[in-house]
Amino acid sequence: MIVKVRAGSPEEEIQKLLEIIERWPVKVHRSDGIEHVLLGLVGDTNSVDPTMILSHDIVEDVVRIAEPYKQANRRFHEQDTVIRIGDAEIGGTDFVTIAGPCAVESREQIMTIAKAVKAAGADMLRGGAYKPRTSPYSFQGLGDEGLDLLMEAKAETALPIVTEIMSVNDVDRFAKDVDLIQVGARNMQNFTLLKELGHIRKPILLKRGQSATIEDLLMSAEYIMDGGNTEVVLCERGLRTFENYSRNTLDLGAVPIIKKLSHLPVIVDPSHGSGKRFMVDPLALAAVAAGAHGIIVEVHNDPELALSDGQQSLYPEQFAVLVEKVKAVQDALRKYR
């Protein structure tokens, strides 16, 4: 349920209204917009009497939300959520580029790639320290050592780091050391992990599961936001379909749908969305045109010898060209804004 309070209403009147609403078994989440102050009521809203709320002069309207996701809903938060990480803003007018290897393999490897993507114009450095793999015999990442190396690369390049969390046991360290904590597709519905991430104050990059609907993704975001952490970035990274030529089928249509339904930023992963190097470039540019707030791309200095996902990783020089193409598409789109 959404309570729309007239803009410019006295704060003391809003507080009186809140005291009345909080007598019901609901949580109240406040959003101060340009045109309204929105009060989002979450919980047993069937017990709430809308007529009692509407009797207050400062209340313009009371709207019941049919969708199960409340806080992620654009009707609760009319303006786009903008999340600042380092010098970059995700969700605003900027287009953010996150780049780096699928997995951190060695100090030389991550330092070489970090410097290359920094020089090409990347806003953040990605790299897997802990790797969830389909096969137990595949490279599982360097673990804590990999995260230490990412921190070294950050100190060297000043790039914020993005890496995937797999266990609730690592939440404290990630909250301290990682700038944007990634929840991978396999953990999108790991609700225990999502609840723990809701209790920290670090931005979360939530990837869409391989068979998840858009509503499933938004409901997972709701788990994080319900704990108090509202800084969630959504990521479209491809779905498992009957098509087996590419690794996944990238659902670019999800971008405008999510932007219509939710105020949360949305980025695209053309690397996992295709699984093939030659497809990354056109899908990344299509993501810009579709209205995504950014992309996350895998880059490796020696893809043929990569321990993870070399076939979908760009060479550093290819990434540098892609960054220039992204800027060109952005410039073209600005003419119609």
Side-chain angles (χ1 to χ4, degrees):
M1 180 178 288
I2 299 291
V3 177
K4 291 186 176 182
V5 178
R6 291 185 175 85
S9 297
E11 183 61 29
E12 60 183 26
E13 293 299 317
I14 296 176
Q15 290 302 318
K16 288 179 182 178
L17 177 62
L18 285 170
E19 289 175 7
I20 292 172
I21 293 174
E22 288 170 349
R23 295 174 186 171
W24 287 295
V26 295
K27 292 181 182 178
V28 182
H29 300 275
R30 176 172 173 170
S31 175
D32 290 82
I34 298 174
E35 298 180 0
H36 305 95
V37 173
L38 301 180
L39 304 177
L41 280 56
V42 179
D44 183 16
T45 56
N46 290 325
S47 63
V48 176
D49 183 0
T51 58
M52 184 178 294
I53 297 175
L54 284 166
S55 65
H56 292 260
D57 292 338
I58 64 172
V59 176
E60 184 175 299
D61 197 9
V62 176
V63 181
R64 288 195 180 274
I65 297 180
E67 298 88 358
Y69 50 92
K70 310 300 181 183
Q71 296 185 63
N73 201 309
R74 183 171 288 281
R75 288 199 283 176
F76 165 64
H77 195 290
E78 294 173 335
Q79 285 75 41
D80 289 341
T81 288
V82 179
I83 300 172
R84 173 167 284 279
I85 303 172
D87 294 329
E89 287 187 343
I90 308 180
T93 56
D94 293 344
F95 188 87
V96 175
T97 302
I98 305 169
C102 177
V104 179
E105 300 169 7
S106 68
R107 176 178 283 102
E108 181 181 4
Q109 174 245 22
I110 191 61
M111 290 298 182
T112 299
I113 298 172
K115 291 175 183 177
V117 299
K118 168 77 171 182
D123 299 291
M124 300 181 209
L125 173 68
R126 63 145 295 147
Y130 310 85
K131 293 302 301 176
R133 305 299 298 278
T134 301
S135 170
Y137 310 115
S138 299
F139 177 62
Q140 304 290 312
L142 298 178
D144 288 346
E145 180 188 353
L147 186 47
D148 291 340
L149 292 175
L150 280 171
M151 292 178 66
E152 282 190 40
K154 175 183 177 179
E156 181 73 21
T157 63
L159 287 174
I161 56 175
V162 183
T163 193
E164 181 173 352
I165 190 169
M166 293 175 57
S167 171
V168 294
N169 298 327
D170 296 322
V171 169
D172 288 343
R173 178 163 189 201
F174 271 65
K176 179 170 65 77
D177 294 337
V178 179
D179 298 288
L180 177 58
I181 301 173
Q182 176 181 312
V183 176
R186 292 174 176 85
N187 277 312
M188 189 205 81
Q189 291 183 311
N190 182 342
F191 301 125
T192 301
L193 177 59
L194 299 181
K195 287 178 181 179
E196 286 299 316
L197 294 173
H199 296 148
I200 65 174
R201 294 298 175 267
K202 271 293 179 72
I204 309 299
L205 174 60
L206 181 63
K207 284 196 164 188
R208 184 180 180 184
Q210 293 177 335
S211 301
T213 65
I214 291 172
E215 184 170 294
D216 290 337
L217 176 62
L218 292 173
M219 287 305 297
S220 289
E222 199 79 8
Y223 267 91
I224 300 170
M225 300 177 75
D226 190 54
N229 186 354
T230 59
E231 295 201 326
V232 180
V233 180
L234 305 175
C235 181
E236 165 56 40
R237 47 82 69 203
L239 299 170
R240 182 73 59 82
T241 69
F242 59 81
E243 177 55 63
N244 58 15
Y245 180 81
S246 57
R247 178 175 181 174
N248 294 296
T249 299
L250 188 63
D251 182 12
L252 286 172
V255 174
I257 294 172
I258 290 171
K259 292 178 72 175
K260 178 178 176 62
L261 297 177
S262 177
H263 55 90
L264 297 175
V266 55
I267 69 171
V268 169
D269 179 349
S271 299
H272 285 90
S274 63
K276 295 182 181 292
R277 186 179 301 116
F278 81 92
M279 297 178 66
V280 172
D281 201 88
L283 291 177
L285 299 178
V288 183
H293 296 108
I295 51 175
I296 179 167
V297 179
E298 293 190 349
V299 179
H300 199 288
N301 57 321
D302 195 354
E304 282 70 25
L305 296 179
L307 298 180
S308 177
D309 289 350
Q311 71 281 0
Q312 65 190 36
S313 300
L314 298 180
Y315 289 90
E317 54 269 25
Q318 290 177 315
F319 173 69
V321 173
L322 174 59
V323 171
E324 293 304 312
K325 289 181 179 179
V326 165
K327 292 177 181 177
V329 174
Q330 287 180 279
D331 289 342
L333 292 174
R334 286 191 184 99
K335 298 177 182 179
Y336 301 98
R337 289 177 181 169

